[in-house]
Amino acid sequence: MAEPKDWKSWLPNPNVWKSWMPEPKAWKTWTPEPKGRRSGMSQQKIPNQGVVKQDWVATGRIDFATRDPADADQPSEFKLLVEERRIVESIAGNENLEIQWRLATLKEAKAVVSQYHQYLSENSLIKTVAETN
């Protein structure tokens, strides 16, 4: 099928659409938000669209986070994360379960360490200096 002779006639005039297109220089000055910050939408306080039936409660699940999870054998700093849930009743009367992960408090971190030490001692996994030889 042959192209019509004036196939470019349906294209818009470049002078018209270039007027509303941003200049490439403008994109170079744009910088993204730094990592770790929330977007503008999430920083705004949005009113609840329902009724909180049960406020945030710890589920007992924990996790550790690090900046570079690729190299698991190298020592690095960790953050202890705690899972929480709450129940919110929507305007329609449906109960919704919301789950979030947050940084643990020092009290929670010490509780995890004490449970771990208790587990080691109950299962004879702590070795003394005499046992290591």
Side-chain angles (χ1 to χ4, degrees):
M1 181 174 187
E3 292 181 7
K5 291 181 181 178
D6 58 348
W7 65 273
K8 293 183 181 178
S9 63
W10 62 270
L11 291 174
N13 184 357
N15 295 333
V16 173
W17 62 267
K18 282 186 179 179
S19 65
W20 58 263
M21 218 171 109
E23 290 290 321
K25 291 181 274 181
W27 290 101
K28 291 180 182 175
T29 60
W30 178 81
T31 56
E33 289 185 13
K35 289 186 178 181
R37 278 194 61 208
R38 294 183 171 185
S39 67
M41 287 293 289
S42 63
Q43 287 178 352
Q44 297 172 359
K45 288 287 185 183
I46 300 172
N48 271 341
Q49 297 296 319
V51 177
V52 177
K53 294 192 84 175
Q54 183 181 24
D55 206 9
W56 293 110
V57 177
T59 62
R61 292 189 177 115
I62 62 168
D63 196 8
F64 289 96
T66 182
R67 290 184 183 203
D68 187 18
D71 197 0
D73 295 330
Q74 293 297 320
S76 64
E77 293 181 347
F78 296 95
K79 292 183 179 180
L80 178 63
L81 302 175
V82 177
E83 185 186 55
E84 292 182 325
R85 66 176 176 89
R86 75 174 179 177
I87 299 173
V88 178
E89 185 177 345
S90 69
I91 296 173
N94 300 327
E95 287 188 355
N96 298 318
L97 177 66
E98 296 180 355
I99 298 173
Q100 75 174 2
W101 287 88
R102 64 164 175 80
L103 292 174
T105 63
L106 181 59
K107 185 177 180 181
E108 291 167 331
K110 287 184 176 187
V112 169
V113 171
S114 67
Q115 288 291 319
Y116 178 67
H117 286 163
Q118 181 181 353
Y119 169 79
L120 291 177
S121 64
E122 287 174 356
N123 294 297
S124 303
L125 297 172
I126 296 178
K127 298 190 184 223
T128 61
V129 178
E131 293 175 2
T132 57
N133 291 333

